[in-house]
Amino acid sequence: MKDDRADGDPPECLACGACCFSTLTSYVAVTGDDYARLGDDAVRLVSWDANHAYLRLEDGHCAALRVDPIARRFVCTMYETRPQVCRDLARGSGACAGERESKEERPLLALRGR
């Protein structure tokens, strides 16, 4: 989502969620360590393509993302056990800026219920 704040800092992750949106079913690879860390949530959140595991998508975003249109925020339901690739994406990094730039409309549409 575009950042219109005067200080120029990227939005808080709970007000953005752009990195959780994709149209690619192979968007977030899940390693063996990730799968083990997910524990009981692995069955609910992981899909398989042959012997490759990925986070499952639902409505164009990660199945672990809860969209709260009333509070206008996004909550990762697996934050403490999220895959390493999610852990490595730092707020405000170049990769974060790229996600926000390329997907700016998707979180907004999700908040509107589309």
Side-chain angles (χ1 to χ4, degrees):
M1 291 179 0
K2 281 220 184 218
D3 181 21
D4 297 326
R5 296 169 335 126
D7 61 13
D9 286 339
E12 292 295 327
C13 294
L14 291 176
C16 179
C19 61
C20 301
F21 286 80
S22 183
T23 58
L24 304 173
T25 57
S26 60
Y27 178 57
V28 177
V30 175
T31 67
D33 288 341
D34 295 333
Y35 193 88
R37 190 171 42 252
L38 284 168
D40 293 340
D41 283 336
V43 172
R44 174 178 69 93
L45 296 174
V46 174
S47 65
W48 292 87
D49 181 5
N51 63 342
H52 299 281
Y54 303 97
L55 287 180
R56 192 171 57 74
L57 295 179
E58 189 174 275
D59 297 327
H61 58 76
C62 174
L65 185 69
R66 186 177 63 219
V67 178
D68 184 344
I70 296 169
R72 299 192 55 79
R73 45 185 274 145
F74 303 92
V75 177
C76 177
T77 62
M78 64 166 180
Y79 186 80
E80 293 301 320
T81 59
R82 69 196 184 281
Q84 191 62 46
V85 69
C86 300
R87 294 168 182 272
D88 291 343
L89 182 63
R91 177 180 169 254
S93 68
C96 171
E99 292 288 312
R100 291 189 337 265
E101 179 69 25
S102 66
K103 301 175 185 177
E104 65 183 321
E105 291 299 318
R106 293 180 197 179
L108 294 171
L109 293 171
L111 288 173
R112 291 183 194 133
R114 296 182 195 170

